Amino acid sequence: MSINLIYLIAGAAMFLAAVLPTVLDRYAVSAAMVLLVLGMGIGLLPLPEGMRLDPLLIRPQVERVTEFTILVALMGVGLAIDRSFEWRRRSAWASWSPTWRLLAVAMPLTIASVALLGWGLGVAPAAALLLGAALSPTDPVLASDVQVEGPRVETPDGGWEEADDDGDEALGEPVDEKDDVRFALTSEAGLNDGLAFPFVTAAVLLASAGSAGSAGSAGSAGGAGSWWAGWLAWDLVGKVVVGVVVGVAVGWGLARVAFRSPRRSLRLAEQGEPLLALAALVLTYGVSQLVGGYGFVSVFTCGLTLRAAERNHHYHRSMHEVVQRLERLLTLIILLMLGMAMTKGVLDELDWRGVLIALSLVFVLRPLAGWVSLRVRARGADLPGGLGRYEALATAFFGVRGVGSLYYLAFAAGEHAFVEERWLWSTAAFTILVSVMVHGALATPVMRYLDRHRDAART
């Protein structure tokens, strides 16, 4: 494959990325499905000399590209959510209750079930835990078909203003204010990417403890057995708290400058300069990582805090549009590369165990864990946070797997050498393939059915 052909394919793929969301809006086909299949087709062609797609050889590049893509997606998700969260109000906690239940119940159940299934199939305990942790977060990058559309502002006459597919303004009711399914999936994806980190760390620590124990050092083995105490206090709790505090603090400070600075030159909202969103995500992530917090959690909470400031200002929509376009471009790159890698050897280590784990996760484990977590309503169906039967089923099922899984595998493999690393990559790639195809095909018809059901219930 010549460099000129690469330019041609890349240009055609970028064009598809721009037009597919609108073209496929009426069909049960997602842009992610098309781009992934396109990448698999490109992978059948001879690659230029020196171009490598083996994740073990390009692990640092995979980690950095997926890391930045997730950060961009998390900022976009934070800016897109219209539903406010005021921690002093009980009604706010109730309206976010599907999110808390998915995070506190569904996510640990998913991690445990995947890890136990892998362990039962003969996978080493540390590798099984890593697989469960890497496959547990739902993806803010590939789940756009079942998420909220973007920030909306209230008009003086009490209506709601948004941008339609042509960029024109349209009036309507904000989707996520009434659509608990889209809101729950969006907010869950915004938070669980960061909350998977403690369990990835636990897998690395468990693998390191096993290596230390096998070395025959009694002192090392004794120290290895006590790692869980520090993990529980700092990795599971402390870093999450630090991440939230940093995100709120940076978001509040930037919002004060952008909207209310005494100097007009610093009031970026009046100038309509949308690059503040990118500056905010990079700044927040850097600060959080420096002080030891989870940067993913910080970026999402920073986006929420920015969105909460001057909620009806059109500036939020401008920032979201910039982030969304960058996210689409990065997603294009990752999907094409992943598709190419699938037909260039990344699935070579896939065996029946990996197939069983992937199918079980998509069709059984995540839906069951989500269903269990969502069956308890928030003080009644007529109050915020209550999900009906069909809404709970859809929310439980649409746990899209994607870029986050690739990042966590690359991160963990960089921290410790896992013997099963190639098998882990094959299993994760196959799981993403199944998730993209199944969830992508069902998202449009299922969400349309729920919309019709909701409209009928209101009339």
Side-chain angles (χ1 to χ4, degrees), residues 32 65-78 102-103 107 110 133-148 181-194 196 296 300 327-328 330-332 334-335 338 361-362 366 395-409 428 431-433 435-436 439-440 443:
V65 172
T66 54
E67 177 183 42
F68 187 67
T69 303
I70 295 171
L71 291 175
V72 173
L74 291 175
M75 177 57 70
V77 167
L102 287 169
L103 295 174
M107 185 175 180
T110 302
L135 293 178
S136 65
T138 54
D139 200 86
V141 180
L142 301 181
S144 58
D145 292 334
V146 292
Q147 292 182 353
V148 299
V181 175
R182 287 188 173 91
F183 167 76
L185 290 169
T186 304
S187 54
E188 179 199 14
L191 283 168
N192 65 11
D193 262 307
F296 288 172
F300 176 68
E327 176 190 334
R328 187 178 300 174
L330 293 171
T331 304
L332 158 72
I334 292 174
L335 288 176
L338 178 60
L361 174 63
V362 173
R366 156 65 192 206
T395 305
F397 179 74
F398 283 110
V400 183
R401 267 58 195 175
V403 178
S405 301
L406 300 177
Y407 168 74
Y408 281 123
L409 279 184
T431 304
I432 294 171
L433 176 63
S435 178
V436 167
H439 294 135

Side-chain angles (χ1 to χ4, degrees), residues 57-70:
L57 299 178
I58 59 172
R59 187 189 305 118
Q61 292 87 341
V62 172
E63 180 180 351
R64 293 309 167 205
V65 172
T66 54
E67 177 183 42
F68 187 67
T69 303
I70 295 171

Side-chain angles (χ1 to χ4, degrees), residues 6 20 38 126 135 152 167 183 205 248 256 269 299 379 411-412 458:
I6 291 177
L20 282 178
L38 178 62
L135 293 178
R152 306 176 183 214
F183 167 76
L205 292 173
V248 172
R256 293 282 296 182
V299 170
R379 301 187 302 168
F411 170 82
R458 293 177 187 172

Side-chain angles (χ1 to χ4, degrees), residues 124-126 202-217 220-221 223-225 227 416-418:
V204 173
L205 292 173
L206 182 61
S208 301
S211 299
S214 63
S217 170
S220 298
W227 63 264
H416 183 84
F418 288 82

Side-chain angles (χ1 to χ4, degrees), residues 256-279:
R256 293 282 296 182
V257 172
F259 291 101
R260 304 171 189 172
S261 174
R263 299 187 60 179
R264 188 179 184 282
S265 60
L266 295 179
R267 293 199 297 271
L268 298 177
E270 293 183 7
Q271 304 171 29
E273 176 50 73
L275 292 181
L276 175 65
L278 299 181

Side-chain angles (χ1 to χ4, degrees), residues 44 51 86-87 90 112 122 153 174 210 257 262 287 435:
L44 296 175
M51 184 176 182
E86 300 177 17
W87 63 273
R90 295 183 64 182
V153 295
V257 172
V287 172
S435 178

Side-chain angles (χ1 to χ4, degrees), residues 329-408:
L329 178 60
L330 293 171
T331 304
L332 158 72
I333 296 172
I334 292 174
L335 288 176
L336 285 177
M337 297 296 288
L338 178 60
M340 292 168 65
M342 286 181 179
T343 49
K344 285 297 183 184
V346 78
L347 295 178
D348 286 353
E349 295 298 318
L350 182 67
D351 57 14
W352 67 271
R353 299 177 303 168
V355 173
L356 178 60
I357 290 173
L359 297 179
S360 298
L361 174 63
V362 173
F363 292 103
V364 181
L365 301 180
R366 156 65 192 206
L368 185 59
W371 175 256
V372 169
S373 70
L374 293 171
R375 285 314 298 152
V376 179
R377 298 191 180 189
R379 301 187 302 168
D382 58 334
L383 295 177
L387 289 171
R389 179 183 299 272
Y390 297 119
E391 292 176 322
L393 280 171
T395 305
F397 179 74
F398 283 110
V400 183
R401 267 58 195 175
V403 178
S405 301
L406 300 177
Y407 168 74
Y408 281 123

